[in-house]
Amino acid sequence: MPTDRRTSDLARTIALGTTATAVVSVPILGPLVLKTQENAEHYDTAITPPGYAFAVWAPIFAGIVANAAQAALPSRSGLPENRETGWPLAGAYALNTAWSVAAQSDRFGYTPALLPAAVALTGVAYRRIQSIPSDKDSIASVSTGLLLGWTGLAATVNLSVGTQLLGADATSKPSVVASTLAAVGAAGTLAAVIGRSRRGYVPLAAASAWGLLTTAVDARRTATTRSGTAI
């Protein structure tokens, strides 16, 4: 292997491992060590899933760690899948970490920009996975599918938070309808991605369906929201 390729693989592996560690540790260690909270409950929206739904981060975090670990193996760091997805995933992990830092420091004004950017980079990695000649799922495809399925919907919730920060009334009927339509639109986009995918579509579908269905059965939400997210 040429020296420059080895150097590139090493840099990518270090970046992926560092950002994977950060994206998992910051949301966990912040509350435990610094006694901070992400304070999402302060900005409840018409389409925010119930608290228990966020347990989905357990398998997402497990997938992120597993993906970074396998990419660090000398026998796997140079595989096409890791070379194609390493940098965009490192960027996505870094932006998700920045989201958590912003949320824990009560700077929610930054989150509507951070999360969509993270989703875009996760989408790049997911699309590149589809172009690799293999029909078998891998750690990278499962991990990326889970992350994209959940954060693709979460970005819509964050945009709804952004409207509140600008002074919109989240409980008004226009806001509820607009938020619900945005969630349905995000779900439709993810469904289109799933339909065109060869790999990673099962975890993507599972994560997004979990977010939608838990919202649909949430008694706190309006009939409009519950029926819209149940479609």
Side-chain angles (χ1 to χ4, degrees), residues 11-180:
R12 187 189 62 252
T13 299
I14 291 173
L16 188 67
T18 301
T19 55
T21 301
V23 76
V24 173
S25 63
V26 167
I28 296 173
L29 295 181
L32 289 177
V33 177
L34 302 177
K35 307 304 180 183
T36 57
Q37 296 293 331
E38 291 185 345
N39 297 318
E41 69 276 4
H42 294 173
Y43 301 97
D44 191 34
T45 76
I47 54 174
T48 301
Y52 68 86
F54 292 87
V56 72
W57 278 107
I60 292 174
F61 283 160
I64 288 173
V65 171
N67 184 46
Q70 66 84 25
L73 295 174
S75 61
R76 299 189 62 86
S77 63
L79 292 181
E81 187 159 277
N82 290 322
R83 284 180 172 160
E84 291 294 322
T85 65
W87 285 115
L89 284 178
Y93 298 165
L95 286 169
N96 276 289
T97 302
W99 184 97
S100 186
V101 171
Q104 290 186 46
S105 58
D106 205 19
R107 292 180 172 85
F108 263 88
Y110 295 105
T111 64
L114 289 169
L115 196 52
V119 172
L121 286 173
T122 307
V124 169
Y126 185 84
R127 179 177 56 80
R128 290 182 177 181
I129 285 172
Q130 310 309 315
S131 66
I132 296 170
S134 174
D135 290 326
K136 295 182 179 180
D137 272 334
S138 62
I139 294 175
S141 63
V142 171
S143 170
T144 306
L146 281 170
L147 183 61
L148 181 60
W150 180 257
T151 57
L153 294 176
T156 303
V157 175
N158 263 234
L159 290 174
S160 295
V161 169
T163 64
Q164 288 186 45
L165 294 172
L166 293 173
D169 179 4
T171 62
S172 68
K173 187 172 182 179
S175 293
V176 170
V177 172
S179 296
T180 302

